[in-house]
Amino acid sequence: MKIGILGSGDVGRALGSGFASHGHDVMIGTRTTSKPELVKWQKAAGKRASLGTFANAAAHGEVLLLCTRGDVTEAAIELAGPKNFDGKVVIDVTNPLDFSKGMPPSLFVGTTDSLGERIQRKLPKAKVVKCFNIVSNETMIDPKMKDGTPDMLIAGNDAGAKKAVAGILKEFGWGDPIDVGGIDGARWLEAWTPLWVRICQAVDSWSVAFRVLRS
Ligand SMILES: NC(=O)c1ccc[n+]([C@@H]2O[C@H](COP(=O)([O-])OP(=O)(O)OC[C@H]3O[C@@H](n4cnc5c(N)ncnc54)[C@H](OP(=O)(O)O)[C@@H]3O)[C@@H](O)[C@H]2O)c1
């Protein structure tokens, strides 16, 4: 598949390497392709990896991933060209984190709305699926941990898009995701992140993920 990743931080690069290593043709979109960490990423990820503008990456991908800072994600979509998202599966990895009062972060939108819903409203013809936002970038690909394989939770309005995302998760070593419903479920997946930070602080480890246990 052709994959377009909007965002060149730890998440964009980790997912980009994951897609390239699974045989997909990946372009990372950024405002600055010359950043040393991106040049290094492209070299390491090999010939299936390329760099471009946000608009180049959005046009390139059959599946798109949003991996930008939460508060600038809507601005990044504008740079990418909203029409480039029409009809596509858009995996939303972002979190609306507010660090204005330091750690742990809070959210700049929540409980009655979410960034996932804002993105779906901004891109009405795209099929937005919230996914990957509740784990660290180090756990996104091949998520085996000391205590087992965690669960991934997803939310989105389009059943076909969620099926496509479940297929990608399987390729990356995840089990079947837990589908928490429509994109309004993003309110609670995003709220999970400040809780994740508090749990990490409490157990003194940043290598933490979640698993649903059934009796
Ligand atoms: N870090 C994690 O492990 C983790 C895990 C789960 C979810 N998340 C979420 O995933 C997203 C990405 O996280 P991250 O840590 O990889 O990177 P980040 O530092 O949150 O975001 C980096 C990206 O934001 C873009 N950006 C910054 N200012 C911008 C602006 N004014 N206009 C347009 N784009 C701008 C940067 O663009 P340039 O490339 O042009 O610099 C870069 O691509 C965040 O929403 C985060 O909450 C992170």
Side-chain angles (χ1 to χ4, degrees), residues 3-29 41-42 44-46 48-51 65 67 132 137 140-141 172:
I3 305 292
I5 296 183
L6 279 76
S8 65
D10 291 343
V11 172
R13 297 198 309 279
L15 287 169
S17 301
F19 277 106
S21 70
H22 284 84
H24 299 285
D25 178 355
V26 188
M27 184 184 290
I28 284 187
W41 170 81
Q42 189 182 9
R48 293 187 191 281
S50 57
L51 296 166
L65 289 97
C67 304
F132 292 118
N137 66 87
M140 291 175 180
I141 314 295
F172 286 177

Side-chain angles (χ1 to χ4, degrees), residues 5-15 28-33 35 37-38 52 54 66-77 79 92-97 99 115 130-140 193 196:
I5 296 183
L6 279 76
S8 65
D10 291 343
V11 172
R13 297 198 309 279
L15 287 169
I28 284 187
T30 172
R31 294 165 302 168
T32 318
T33 51
K35 281 188 207 174
E37 66 269 31
L38 290 181
F54 284 125
L66 290 171
C67 304
T68 40
R69 227 177 59 205
D71 61 329
V72 298
T73 294
E74 290 178 270
I77 290 171
L79 291 174
D92 171 24
V93 189
T94 65
N95 280 306
L97 297 181
F99 289 100
L115 188 52
K130 194 98 203 170
C131 182
F132 292 118
N133 74 302
I134 57 161
V135 293
S136 152
N137 66 87
E138 288 159 19
T139 313
M140 291 175 180
T193 311
W196 178 84

